[in-house]
Amino acid sequence: MSVLHPVSRRQFVAGTAAVAASAFIPRKLFGAPASATQRVVVHTGSEIGLVRPEFHGHFIEHLGSCVYGGLWVGRNSQIPNINGYRKQSVEYLKALGIPVLRWPGGCFADDYHWRDGIGPAAKRPKRVNINWGNYIEDGSFGTHEFIGLCRLLDAQPYLAGNVGSSTPHELRDWIEYCNYPSGSTLSDERAANGSPEPFRVRYWGVGNESWGCGGNMRPEEYARLYRDFAVYCRDFGGTELFLVASGPSGDDTRWSRGLMDGLGWERPSGVSMHYYCGGADRSTTFTIDHMNEQLASYAKVEESIIHQRAVLDSYDKGKNVGLILDEWGVWDNIPEEDEKRYGKLWQQSTMRSAVAAGLGLNIFNRLADKLYMCNIAQMVNVLQSLLLTDGPEGEHCVRTTTYHAFSLFKAHRSKTALRVETEDSSPLGLSLSASKSDKELVVSFVNPRHDADLRVECTLEGCVAVGGTAQILHDADWNACNTFDNPDRAVPNAHPIKVNGSKIQLDLPALSVATAILPIH
Ligand code: AHR
């Protein structure tokens, strides 16, 4: 419990995995002495698997100023917008590339009825958002608006269905409304609402956190419900559904086994797990100890993915079930005054957060054969967001350090992940991952130490690099962040790298995330 700040019940539910994680953190957080040379090896002939672009997926919820204000300001807003979508957010996100986007929750999903968000906005019912502060939700951002956002961003839509307070029939109808080409009452209603073309939504979540806010169920109860819902979910118009069952909190194998046992012959396409790394301090005032504790908990994230994969693989046809890290990131201590000013769960992203993002993204590359998709929570104004606005009404929109960490990993997308070796496997040791295409090798490094500048000597076993460049995101102050007054304090910069055939060398200052891109023979 010690890593977590005083929490609300909801935060407690979300943070349980992180609490569990702290118990597993080995005493020895540090391996290398300060200012050490670290020798690492990239085995270019040893392939792990595809770095699916979906490892860089995102999640948005009707929570605080994420959807309303962060992304959707409405067509009549003074804030520059593209048909109601905040223009600056769209532009930044397009530049990054958003492979997949999950909506409408989160906890909100199991209290959402999709019919509340279609048809003329003025006629949409007003509902109380019982999960995130009992504010009035006017439904003005609904299915069409979400799909419109996905089209603008060129992102695959991922809809989270309501299992906790809905029926199989309601989910079945939403699928028909979205995907049936034409001629049925529901598909004609979609056309009348402005979208004659089907939305072709492939990814469907069957509930969210069904062990907690999504129904407070036991795994066998949820498995029974999953079967009831899934049996009525059908492929329409050639869109093959990818159904995602609600998986564990962190490394809760009791839930995963109970789920898989209860599913019988039914196998979902994916199982989701959620893993937040709790933080004891406000984002911008972290102590060294609390930062180290949080960053070290990423070792537990890696371990948990390996465990959860093993559980799925131990079942008949379990190997075909994709493991999805549906919500991940740092969940710091959020003071009430920040929430009042900017929106619920609004949290700054600092150099520490960027290092955390880099640790996560390196893990996904190294476990490329074990994962299907990973969605950071959340894209704008909530938890470890990529963009921050000064509240729902604010004009400013800044790219956070987490945005920039993601941009440093973009070059890995669709390449083949490679095995790597490091000298120091302690939780706060140098973190590394690599991937390649025919022509290019990409290597990412994260130095999570606040007190050690590292020199990295990297051997490329099995290939020769012909030149190369590197970019680094670094700030010696772990609490440094991009603010509305100083939006580009922490941004990636070109960084010196020595390339000599199969040897590369670069210096990684304390708290840095760097990527080298190397043309290869
Ligand atoms: O991302 C915030 C919340 O965390 C989500 O609504 C829920 O799924 C999780 O508990």
Side-chain angles (χ1 to χ4, degrees):
M1 271 304 281
S2 60
V3 287
L4 284 187
H5 44 279
V7 284
S8 66
R9 190 179 163 274
R10 183 151 326 287
Q11 277 177 299
F12 176 75
V13 169
T16 45
V19 174
S22 67
F24 282 84
I25 297 169
R27 282 181 187 285
K28 199 167 171 279
L29 296 183
F30 308 108
S35 304
T37 295
Q38 291 281 294
R39 275 172 288 276
V40 301
V41 184
V42 175
H43 295 279
T44 65
S46 186
E47 301 182 350
I48 301 172
L50 178 69
V51 179
R52 296 174 50 80
E54 290 83 355
F55 294 171
H56 300 184
H58 296 269
F59 161 44
I60 57 173
E61 180 166 9
H62 291 232
L63 196 183
S65 51
C66 178
V67 168
Y68 295 110
L71 291 160
W72 177 254
V73 291
R75 293 182 183 85
N76 301 323
S77 173
Q78 297 298 305
I79 297 171
N81 67 84
I82 308 167
N83 292 328
Y85 305 100
R86 188 187 276 263
K87 188 164 180 280
Q88 188 63 89
S89 297
V90 168
E91 284 173 0
Y92 283 151
L93 295 169
K94 271 177 96 154
L96 182 64
I98 305 297
V100 63
L101 186 56
R102 175 173 177 252
W103 171 85
C107 297
F108 181 77
D110 282 284
D111 187 41
Y112 182 63
H113 300 279
W114 66 271
R115 293 205 69 92
D116 291 351
I118 58 166
K123 291 198 173 153
R124 297 183 191 178
K126 293 185 171 46
R127 307 280 186 210
V128 177
N129 185 331
I130 56 168
N131 283 290
W132 301 114
N134 285 348
Y135 73 88
I136 299 289
E137 156 70 50
D138 69 5
S140 54
F141 189 93
T143 303
H144 289 253
E145 290 75 21
F146 171 66
I147 297 290
L149 177 64
C150 290
R151 300 294 186 247
L152 265 180
L153 300 177
D154 202 18
Q156 279 287 320
Y158 172 1
L159 292 173
N162 176 346
V163 168
S165 69
S166 167
T167 61
H169 196 77
E170 186 174 338
L171 182 59
R172 170 239 175 273
D173 278 0
W174 199 9
I175 296 170
E176 183 181 324
Y177 182 86
C178 289
N179 290 356
Y180 198 78
S182 65
S184 75
T185 301
L186 284 168
S187 58
D188 289 349
E189 190 179 2
R190 180 194 69 237
N193 285 333
S195 301
E197 283 299 308
F199 293 145
R200 299 192 181 89
V201 180
R202 182 159 177 255
Y203 297 117
W204 292 84
V206 183
N208 169 77
E209 294 193 352
S210 304
W211 39 263
C213 64
N216 221 0
M217 291 177 236
R218 289 191 289 272
E220 60 278 12
E221 291 168 332
Y222 171 69
R224 172 69 254 167
L225 269 187
Y226 176 89
R227 289 159 63 183
D228 288 350
F229 276 68
V231 76
Y232 298 104
C233 296
R234 298 299 165 86
D235 300 345
F236 294 125
T239 300
E240 202 181 319
L241 300 186
F242 186 105
L243 297 186
V244 180
S246 174
S249 167
D251 196 15
D252 182 358
T253 46
R254 191 192 58 89
W255 176 272
S256 322
R257 290 199 183 283
L259 168 66
M260 292 301 278
D261 288 340
L263 287 176
W265 54 266
E266 184 77 57
R267 290 283 176 257
S269 305
V271 166
S272 70
M273 64 186 278
H274 291 184
Y275 204 125
Y276 287 100
C277 293
D281 299 325
R282 183 191 191 171
S283 305
T284 48
T285 53
F286 254 68
T287 64
I288 290 175
D289 284 352
H290 289 152
M291 168 174 67
N292 286 340
E293 221 163 5
Q294 187 182 58
L295 294 178
S297 70
Y298 277 80
K300 180 64 187 161
V301 176
E302 185 157 18
E303 209 177 285
S304 304
I305 294 169
I306 294 168
H307 283 166
Q308 292 298 324
R309 182 69 261 167
V311 169
L312 293 178
D313 289 350
S314 71
Y315 284 84
D316 192 28
K317 294 197 190 141
K319 286 194 169 60
N320 302 332
V321 178
L323 180 60
I324 296 181
L325 185 57
D326 236 351
E327 295 184 22
W328 71 279
V330 292
W331 189 320
D332 302 333
N333 187 357
I334 305 174
E336 239 180 272
E337 63 262 30
D338 283 2
E339 295 199 316
K340 277 202 185 118
R341 189 158 177 204
Y342 296 125
K344 206 148 187 69
L345 299 193
W346 190 100
Q347 172 182 292
Q348 245 301 358
S349 173
T350 62
M351 190 61 226
R352 168 194 49 84
S353 325
V355 167
L359 292 176
L361 295 169
N362 264 347
I363 291 172
F364 307 159
N365 286 348
R366 292 198 298 263
L367 302 182
D369 54 340
K370 299 184 171 32
L371 287 163
Y372 191 89
M373 182 193 289
C374 308
N375 299 316
I376 192 159
Q378 300 189 7
M379 196 153 81
V380 187
N381 285 340
V382 167
L383 299 177
Q384 192 171 358
S385 57
L386 281 85
L387 302 179
L388 287 175
T389 70
D390 40 350
E393 317 283 338
E395 277 176 32
H396 298 95
C397 176
V398 298
R399 288 167 294 184
T400 66
T401 54
T402 297
Y403 177 102
H404 293 304
F406 266 70
S407 75
L408 286 177
F409 278 77
K410 195 173 169 183
H412 288 289
R413 293 184 195 168
S414 300
K415 290 196 169 62
T416 304
L418 303 170
R419 295 205 191 278
V420 294
E421 248 181 89
T422 53
E423 291 183 292
D424 176 3
S425 59
S426 60
L428 293 179
L430 167 71
S431 155
L432 174 75
S433 76
S435 67
K436 72 165 185 192
S437 64
D438 289 348
K439 296 193 177 119
E440 209 170 65
L441 184 67
V442 181
V443 191
S444 288
F445 307 88
V446 179
N447 180 0
R449 297 278 297 264
H450 68 280
D451 58 351
D453 299 330
L454 302 176
R455 165 151 297 175
V456 182
E457 289 179 355
C458 176
T459 302
L460 311 177
E461 206 179 79
C463 88
V464 168
V466 284
T469 55
Q471 293 257 311
I472 193 164
L473 179 65
H474 162 65
D475 199 304
D477 176 1
W478 53 91
N479 289 317
C481 56
N482 295 333
T483 61
F484 305 116
D485 294 334
N486 191 0
D488 294 322
R489 162 150 186 190
V491 295
N493 285 302
H495 190 59
I497 179 169
K498 284 187 194 157
V499 182
N500 185 4
S502 62
K503 301 273 181 205
I504 63 172
Q505 187 193 79
L506 83 168
D507 290 333
L508 284 182
L511 295 172
S512 57
V513 181
T515 292
I517 301 187
L518 310 154
I520 50 171
H521 278 314

